[in-house]
Amino acid sequence: MTMIFDPYYTGSGTRADVKLPDYQIDKLTDPSGYLAPPDLVSAVNVALALGLPLLLTGEPGCGKSQLAYSLAWELGLPDPFTFTVKSDTQSRDLFYHFDTLGRFRAVHIHNVQENDDAHRFLRMEALGRAIFHALGSTKIIDIDPGFTGYLADIPPQPQRSVVLIDEIDKAPREVPNDILNEIDRMAFDIPEVTKANQNKSSFSLQNKSSRTSDGTQSAEHSAIRPIVIITSNRERELPEAFLRRCVYFHVELPPFRSELNKTDTNKSGDGKEVSVERIVESRLDLKNGIEAEHHKPNIQKSVLAGGISFFEYLRSDDVHLIKKPSTAELLNWMLLLYNRCPATGTVENNEHLFLTSAKVTLFKHLDDQKEAADLFNDWLALQAGKK
């Protein structure tokens, strides 16, 4: 077993003049490299046609959040406005945050006048920013001139955007329904910036000018309505009322090439297959692809073909892990193998690096890590022609 590169950190208590690598994380998340299977593409297009939120479930690391960036990139829109839900999130938090404590201190400690401009304690959040972009700065100032100094990144004219609401299943149970009520209306109020004897600041895409005489949405309103992507890791079930008002899709791990056949319809928009191997090839920009090498014993496979094979083995029904590795974890591991092993390097010639790096990138539970070496040896013992 050989280590083919000097370590950056030795743990020996001595200093060393070491040049750290150029990190390539963006290479694995670039939206131009995202490959969506046809069923997911159909779900996106249904959500776009209906103007409904798209709810995505699936295990962590399967690419749910990255879809929002892929969608924005393909449609020529800015990067998504993102909001990660927490256990104490309230529906208002999706639109804006008001620094109540800061306001209190200003009034009661620093003797700021009660009617002083409260806008400076305000921070817009994902869906609030998206609605602001859909209204345009000119309209916002008409609604509340107090926002004049806070609209540097808001275009004068309406602009469409994508909103990513991540991990909705972490929110208190009533929040999903509350959020959907706000998304349905595409409207929110900011009572904290209301001055005495003045109507509260209210921002809505559903004003009179955006509704037809029969009460339906006008084309103008539909054109600027933000595109909303919501993700869930299914840590708990979501309310039925919430599910009823979304387009829903469960993101599965793509098939391996060995599972595809000539008539398989699992193809992306360019007519090519969507498989685990092609995702890796696309992300690592492998011009020659990854050969399956099924005819070789696993120990003699190249590190990339062996990496795919070992990942497939860990995902199989024959292996019982507490936390099976995801696509995101595979990509991180394959990037390391690609950068650190010779192009023709085999598992045998890089066995130490192969196993030690797999142990900390693919195995994300202590009990699973304890089994890593045994599982690696079991995989090596499989007959040639097996996964």
Side-chain angles (χ1 to χ4, degrees):
M1 294 186 292
T2 60
M3 181 75 102
I4 57 84
F5 70 99
D6 294 330
Y8 304 114
Y9 171 72
T10 64
S12 61
T14 59
R15 287 189 173 181
D17 184 15
V18 177
K19 184 180 184 302
L20 291 176
D22 294 326
Y23 298 114
Q24 299 174 293
I25 298 301
D26 291 346
K27 187 173 185 177
L28 302 182
T29 58
D30 189 328
S32 65
Y34 188 90
L35 300 177
D39 289 346
L40 176 55
V41 171
S42 296
V44 171
N45 286 318
V46 169
L48 292 176
L50 296 176
L52 293 176
L54 173 61
L55 171 64
L56 300 175
T57 61
E59 61 186 78
C62 68
K64 301 186 299 295
S65 300
Q66 287 303 312
L67 173 69
Y69 290 86
S70 171
L71 179 58
W73 182 81
E74 282 204 13
L75 297 181
L77 301 175
D79 283 348
F81 299 125
T82 63
F83 183 89
T84 302
V85 175
K86 301 177 182 178
S87 59
D88 60 350
T89 292
Q90 300 301 312
S91 59
R92 183 197 74 170
D93 300 336
L94 186 60
F95 295 86
Y96 70 93
H97 170 79
F98 188 79
D99 184 4
T100 304
L101 181 59
R103 176 67 168 162
F104 177 85
R105 286 174 174 169
V107 173
H108 297 281
I109 298 178
H110 302 293
N111 298 317
V112 172
Q113 294 297 315
E114 188 73 42
N115 62 354
D116 184 61
D117 186 12
H119 292 80
R120 59 195 181 96
F121 299 98
L122 188 69
R123 183 182 72 244
M124 303 308 298
E125 297 291 355
L127 194 51
R129 294 177 66 193
I131 290 178
F132 270 22
H133 276 253
L135 290 169
S137 60
T138 302
K139 178 66 174 177
I140 294 169
I141 293 173
D142 287 343
I143 296 172
D144 185 345
F147 280 94
T148 300
Y150 301 85
L151 302 176
D153 64 335
I154 307 295
Q157 300 304 315
Q159 182 184 78
R160 198 169 191 183
S161 56
V162 176
V163 177
L164 171 62
I165 305 173
D166 236 348
E167 303 182 2
I168 189 65
D169 48 320
K170 289 185 177 180
R173 184 165 180 81
E174 71 278 1
V175 169
N177 287 339
D178 291 344
I179 286 177
L180 269 188
N181 287 332
E182 306 291 357
I183 292 175
D184 281 348
R185 296 189 305 117
M186 278 297 165
F188 68 105
D189 303 324
I190 310 180
E192 291 89 346
V193 298
T194 301
K195 295 183 179 180
N197 302 319
Q198 191 179 52
N199 292 331
K200 60 187 176 183
S201 295
S202 181
F203 302 93
S204 174
L205 298 187
Q206 294 186 345
N207 50 39
K208 292 181 180 179
S209 62
S210 65
R211 308 294 290 188
T212 61
S213 58
D214 61 359
T216 59
Q217 263 180 268
S218 71
E220 176 188 3
H221 179 271
S222 299
I224 58 176
R225 184 179 179 87
I227 302 167
V228 180
I229 307 293
I230 304 173
T231 73
S232 168
N233 293 329
R234 300 191 71 176
E235 293 183 4
R236 66 178 180 185
E237 291 301 317
L238 296 167
E240 289 186 11
F242 177 86
L243 297 173
R244 187 171 62 248
R245 294 151 70 188
C246 294
V247 172
Y248 168 73
F249 187 83
H250 183 74
V251 182
E252 299 275 9
L253 182 80
F256 295 90
R257 277 198 181 125
S258 60
E259 299 169 339
L260 298 173
N261 56 57
K262 292 182 180 180
T263 60
D264 202 290
T265 58
N266 196 58
K267 299 181 183 298
S268 61
D270 59 6
K272 297 181 180 180
E273 72 189 35
V274 178
S275 64
V276 171
E277 287 88 345
R278 189 180 171 223
I279 289 174
V280 174
E281 291 163 356
S282 175
R283 288 303 189 185
L284 300 186
D285 195 25
L286 301 178
K287 303 302 184 184
N288 297 324
I290 300 174
E291 294 185 18
E293 303 182 16
H294 290 316
H295 60 288
K296 296 181 180 180
N298 288 331
I299 191 69
Q300 295 178 10
K301 286 182 169 70
S302 67
V303 289
L304 295 185
I308 293 287
S309 176
F310 186 50
F311 175 76
E312 186 174 2
Y313 173 67
L314 296 179
R315 294 281 311 187
S316 70
D317 295 335
D318 297 331
V319 176
H320 303 286
L321 296 175
I322 296 173
K323 168 49 172 87
K324 287 186 179 290
S326 69
T327 311
E329 290 153 345
L330 170 67
L331 289 173
N332 285 325
W333 183 46
M334 295 294 279
L335 178 62
L336 182 138
L337 294 178
Y338 176 69
N339 286 337
R340 293 301 173 189
C341 297
T344 58
T346 64
V347 174
E348 183 175 24
N349 292 335
N350 300 277
E351 187 173 338
H352 180 71
L353 173 64
F354 190 94
L355 175 57
T356 55
S357 60
K359 185 176 180 179
V360 295
T361 54
L362 301 184
F363 297 84
K364 296 299 178 68
H365 192 282
L366 178 59
D367 291 342
D368 291 341
Q369 284 193 342
K370 291 177 180 179
E371 301 295 326
D374 289 339
L375 288 170
F376 175 70
N377 289 327
D378 291 344
W379 172 72
L380 289 180
L382 292 175
Q383 298 177 359
K386 298 291 185 180
K387 298 173 184 177

